[in-house]
Amino acid sequence: SYVPSALRSAKHPVVALFHFAFKAGALASYLIGRHFLPTANYVMTFIFTVIFLALDFWTVKNVTGRKLVGLRWWNDSREDGTSEWIFECIEDDSVIDATDRNAFWLGLYVWPLIWGLFLILNVISFNLDYVILIVVALVFAGSNLTGYWKCSKDAKQRLQQMQGQLAGRAIQAMAGSFGFGQ
């Protein structure tokens, strides 16, 4: 099967796969064009990466959010020129599969962190050529993260749980490295 084993137990494994597929395409396009093909054209790297980023943005906003976690958001422009952000969430959370939900939120939270790391590395190394591309990636990722954050009923609680788990693992790892807990 073409679906990774971690996503096979999902209710919507193909949708979950595409939640990561365009991210992988954008990341591969950036890394290959930036680091592995030094003769690659900056413009071509920029174009291919932005295409994958746009496909990822559209897929996450219009498909995976709705199918994997039952959330939707959009901006409605009125005739008077004002706009209204509209957020929808599924009424019954029990129909959401745990694997679908975890895959969705993992991809949504980690994606801007990856691009933020690239931004920091480029700025620290004074290599500013790709900063514009990275900012574009951060805008796409940040827009989806903000939209889903606002329409999720329990996003803050979920983020706090993830932070607590990560902090606990870090403390265990540090204690283990000093010989405690053996």
Side-chain angles (χ1 to χ4, degrees):
S1 176
Y2 53 86
V3 177
S5 60
L7 299 177
R8 285 194 186 131
S9 66
K11 186 176 179 182
H12 304 287
V14 175
V15 175
L17 176 69
F18 274 96
H19 185 63
F20 295 101
F22 292 123
K23 288 173 176 53
L27 198 57
S29 175
Y30 171 75
L31 291 174
I32 290 169
R34 171 88 167 83
H35 297 289
F36 299 115
L37 296 175
T39 59
N41 187 342
Y42 171 81
V43 174
M44 292 307 292
T45 300
F46 192 97
I47 289 170
F48 280 113
T49 305
V50 169
I51 287 171
F52 279 115
L53 290 169
L55 289 169
D56 174 63
F57 174 81
W58 186 90
T59 303
V60 171
K61 183 181 173 304
N62 295 306
V63 180
T64 65
R66 186 172 48 88
K67 291 284 192 180
L68 299 180
V69 291
L71 301 173
R72 285 187 348 158
W73 65 271
W74 68 93
N75 186 326
D76 188 27
S77 298
R78 298 188 182 129
E79 289 183 20
D80 65 358
T82 61
S83 65
E84 175 187 16
W85 287 92
I86 300 171
F87 304 101
E88 290 182 356
C89 62
I90 194 167
E91 293 296 325
D92 183 13
D93 286 7
S94 66
V95 298
I96 303 298
D97 180 70
T99 304
D100 286 346
R101 181 180 56 246
N102 292 338
F104 178 81
W105 289 107
L106 176 70
L108 201 67
Y109 286 132
V110 169
W111 191 232
L113 293 176
I114 291 170
W115 288 103
L117 177 65
F118 288 151
L119 179 65
I120 291 167
L121 292 173
N122 275 268
V123 170
I124 287 174
S125 67
F126 297 108
N127 193 341
L128 305 179
D129 294 344
Y130 284 87
V131 168
I132 293 172
L133 176 60
I134 295 168
V135 169
V136 169
L138 284 168
V139 167
F140 278 133
S143 297
N144 265 333
L145 180 59
T146 302
Y148 284 112
W149 176 269
K150 287 184 176 185
C151 70
S152 174
K153 291 185 233 177
D154 59 342
K156 291 180 184 175
Q157 178 184 358
R158 192 174 306 111
L159 181 61
Q160 289 172 345
Q161 287 174 345
M162 289 173 66
Q163 287 174 336
Q165 290 172 350
L166 288 174
R169 289 181 188 156
I171 290 170
Q172 286 176 342
M174 287 178 17
S177 68
F178 290 115
F180 297 112
Q182 294 180 351

